[in-house]
Amino acid sequence: MVGVDYGTLSGRAVVVRVSDGAELGSAVHEYAHRVIEDALPGSGVRLGPDWALQSPADWIDVLRNAVPKALADAQVAAEQVVGIGTDFTACTILPATADGHPLCEEFPERPHAWPKLWKHHAAQPHADRINALAAERGEAWLPRYGGKISSEWAFAKGLQLLEEDPEIYERADRWIEAADWIIWQLTGVETRNVCTAGYKAVYQDGGYPSEDFLAALNPAFSGFTRKLGQGPSGTDGNKARLAPLGGLAGHLTARAAEWTGLPEGIAVAVGNVDAHVTAAAADAVRPGQMVAIMGTSTCHVMCSDQLAEVPGMCGVVRDGIVPGLWGYEAGQSAVGDIFGWFVDNCVPASYAERAAEAGVGLHEYLTSLAAAQKVGQHGLVALDWHGGNRSVLVDHTLSGVIVGQTLATRPEDVYRALIEATAFGARTIVETFEAAGVPVEEFVVAGGLLKNRFLMQTYADVLRRPLSVIGSDQGPALGSAIHAAVAAGAYPDITAAAAAMGKREAAAYVPDAERADAYDRLYAEYRRLHDHFADGEMLHRLRAIRNEASA
């Protein structure tokens, strides 16, 4: 099987053995355009604050480059591959024509014609309006999203498109997740998967929000759900028939076979989200297993056999992770991005020189200095809101806060405080789930931040619970390959495939009781700071001043 993981900055392909999940070869292709945040390529048209776009050409280049290189690395003949699965960041969404052509190819100078990346947060005012109206009307779907939907999601971004560029909105026959668009390119068949429809497009109990609700937001928005596509079996009014996870989306076309070097006609799995497929890669698809996929951001996903309303969760969706169970999602909008921001902007050159002398990277050097401290020695506490707050406040116009700095504060102090802040944010999410009656019985970590052992131990100490870790460096790609194995008929369902092909080391990190007690005191201060700034009044005013000054 081949699994392809589309991340924020690159795409990765992995060749996986069906019998046991062994990873035989892999390759990475860096996006030429990475994240488009300041100006459009070619035209140079400037973007506003909190914009984040991507280029569909970069996604196709992953198929052309990473897949053949992964096959070569695995020394596996293409004829041996029987299926391919993909996963994507979400909500990464684009306007397209009825036959799937991205509108940015026709209107490269129009920002709204380009795909909006998951961390495009410029639609926060539109999300605020949607949430206020839904609460006022008592919309039944709102509690399924913890009381608020995110500015990152399909409806907020769609409303922004309509109101800021109505011509592009009108020309967009399709408003489609990149997770589904890439499957369209591979198979020639448009499908919509149940995962992104449920978590990112407010699909609950067989339908989207009503046309009456959408018209109350903006009369021209009433027909928006028709842009969300027909799916494999068509639609019935506002009710869509969505493709199940692990299902067969179609077969590889001749064009896609030429791109990838794979055989025409092999099975292509239904699209999915990077975080949600990772649960299968960690063999963590049973109730009570929370998987935290930690990278530039963190996504927390968990299956349960019960339905509950968890305040501030990203959503609960029937069949959203594996068929037959409720799938919960929460998250933190920035984690690794916070550490990257700090290192790139706030660390003196002398530290880089010392790191080079020690033969390590700057992150590793700062981590070693931070790890030498006792808990609380830096005298700091921080809020992990540099990318806004996804859970449990669901407000992407919040911003980071660091309290306790003095003239003696050093970079390693702040670096450690930021690591701890992200761990405190994770604890807030876990406690919110458990308070709502959804127990977290095992905390499983996946993603790139697994490489930082100090960070992992800090999370174990802060959470006061053992951390299990995925047994793969390629969690999403492995998860996509597992879904492809089900689509190709090698396994009867995702649970069986995950048991055979997934990998997890239980209790890899165990909390230290003394440090955990010390962190309880710091966490109490974090919660006081969290609750003080939760209304966002000061942080919103500061952002408004910034935006006015930048206009």
Side-chain angles (χ1 to χ4, degrees), residues 1 13 49 55-56 65 124 131 155 165-166 197 221 238 401 429 431 460 492:
M1 295 295 168
S55 169
N65 292 276
Q124 185 65 51
N131 290 327
F155 278 76
D165 195 336
F221 202 47
N238 197 35
V401 177
I429 290 170
E431 290 183 350

Side-chain angles (χ1 to χ4, degrees), residues 124-134 159 163 213 216-218:
Q124 185 65 51
H126 304 84
D128 293 341
R129 285 168 50 203
I130 293 170
N131 290 327
L133 180 64
L159 186 58
E163 297 186 338
F213 172 79
L217 289 166
N218 185 317

Side-chain angles (χ1 to χ4, degrees), residues 137-328:
R137 290 167 53 112
E139 293 289 333
W141 47 263
L142 190 61
R144 298 276 179 94
Y145 300 95
K148 289 183 180 180
I149 71 161
S150 169
S151 67
E152 296 179 0
W153 296 355
F155 278 76
K157 288 173 174 172
L159 186 58
Q160 183 193 19
L161 170 63
L162 166 66
E163 297 186 338
E164 296 183 7
D165 195 336
E167 182 184 355
I168 294 295
Y169 178 86
E170 183 64 27
R171 286 178 173 265
D173 299 306
R174 296 289 187 270
W175 188 237
I176 185 167
E177 283 277 355
D180 292 321
W181 183 84
I182 201 68
I183 296 300
W184 198 351
Q185 307 314 300
L186 290 170
T187 64
V189 178
E190 180 185 4
T191 57
R192 302 288 179 128
N193 73 83
V194 68
C195 179
T196 53
Y199 292 107
K200 312 305 179 185
V202 198
Y203 183 86
Q204 293 284 347
D205 298 327
Y208 296 105
S210 68
E211 291 193 4
D212 178 64
F213 172 79
L214 299 178
L217 289 166
N218 185 317
F221 202 47
S222 63
F224 174 68
T225 58
R226 289 192 286 273
K227 297 181 184 291
L228 299 181
Q230 293 188 335
S233 300
T235 60
D236 176 16
N238 197 35
K239 296 183 181 295
R241 295 183 182 178
L242 300 171
L245 302 182
L248 178 67
H251 298 89
L252 200 69
T253 65
R255 181 180 68 157
E258 183 178 351
W259 289 339
T260 59
L262 297 174
E264 180 181 353
I266 64 171
V268 179
V270 167
N272 208 332
V273 180
D274 49 4
H276 300 71
V277 297
T278 303
D283 186 25
V285 293
R286 289 167 290 280
Q289 294 178 299
M290 176 174 280
V291 183
I293 301 88
M294 298 176 59
T296 55
S297 64
T298 294
C299 188
H300 305 78
V301 297
M302 183 171 69
C303 294
S304 178
D305 53 9
Q306 57 185 307
L307 174 63
E309 296 174 2
V310 181
M313 65 180 172
C314 297
V316 54
V317 175
R318 183 72 178 178
D319 308 324
I321 299 174
V322 293
L325 292 174
W326 291 98
Y328 289 84

Side-chain angles (χ1 to χ4, degrees), residues 18 49 71 86 93 125 134 182 185 190 227 229 309 362 404 411 415 458 476 486 491 514:
V18 175
L71 285 171
T86 65
I93 198 161
I182 201 68
Q185 307 314 300
E190 180 185 4
K227 297 181 184 291
E309 296 174 2
L362 193 46
Y415 194 76
T458 298
V486 178
Y491 293 96
E514 183 178 348

Side-chain angles (χ1 to χ4, degrees), residues 217-490:
L217 289 166
N218 185 317
F221 202 47
S222 63
F224 174 68
T225 58
R226 289 192 286 273
K227 297 181 184 291
L228 299 181
Q230 293 188 335
S233 300
T235 60
D236 176 16
N238 197 35
K239 296 183 181 295
R241 295 183 182 178
L242 300 171
L245 302 182
L248 178 67
H251 298 89
L252 200 69
T253 65
R255 181 180 68 157
E258 183 178 351
W259 289 339
T260 59
L262 297 174
E264 180 181 353
I266 64 171
V268 179
V270 167
N272 208 332
V273 180
D274 49 4
H276 300 71
V277 297
T278 303
D283 186 25
V285 293
R286 289 167 290 280
Q289 294 178 299
M290 176 174 280
V291 183
I293 301 88
M294 298 176 59
T296 55
S297 64
T298 294
C299 188
H300 305 78
V301 297
M302 183 171 69
C303 294
S304 178
D305 53 9
Q306 57 185 307
L307 174 63
E309 296 174 2
V310 181
M313 65 180 172
C314 297
V316 54
V317 175
R318 183 72 178 178
D319 308 324
I321 299 174
V322 293
L325 292 174
W326 291 98
Y328 289 84
E329 179 187 348
Q332 294 165 272
S333 294
V335 178
D337 270 354
I338 298 176
F339 314 144
W341 158 81
F342 180 73
V343 165
D344 291 344
N345 295 282
C346 305
V347 179
S350 60
Y351 275 69
E353 293 168 1
R354 290 179 223 162
E357 290 172 2
V360 297
L362 193 46
H363 283 280
E364 290 81 2
Y365 182 64
L366 285 169
T367 296
S368 68
L369 296 177
Q373 299 181 7
K374 295 181 180 178
V375 175
Q377 183 177 334
H378 50 47
L380 305 174
V381 65
L383 294 177
D384 53 319
W385 299 349
H386 296 67
N389 181 284
R390 185 181 295 161
S391 301
V392 297
L393 300 175
V394 199
D395 185 350
H396 291 289
T397 58
L398 295 174
S399 49
V401 177
I402 303 175
V403 173
Q405 294 182 100
T406 71
L407 294 177
T409 301
R410 301 163 299 172
E412 57 265 35
D413 301 332
V414 178
Y415 194 76
R416 177 167 179 144
L418 293 174
I419 288 175
E420 292 166 347
T422 67
F424 294 149
R427 178 167 168 176
T428 301
I429 290 170
V430 170
E431 290 183 350
T432 302
F433 268 82
E434 295 197 318
V438 184
V440 178
E441 297 171 359
E442 183 180 11
F443 195 91
V444 185
V445 180
L449 292 182
L450 267 175
K451 298 174 184 176
N452 189 322
R453 296 185 61 84
F454 168 70
L455 184 147
M456 290 296 104
Q457 186 61 53
T458 298
Y459 270 63
D461 295 339
V462 168
L463 290 167
R464 302 193 71 104
R465 65 178 68 213
L467 301 187
S468 300
V469 300
I470 192 172
S472 170
D473 293 333
Q474 324 287 355
L478 172 59
S480 290
I482 290 172
H483 280 68
V486 178

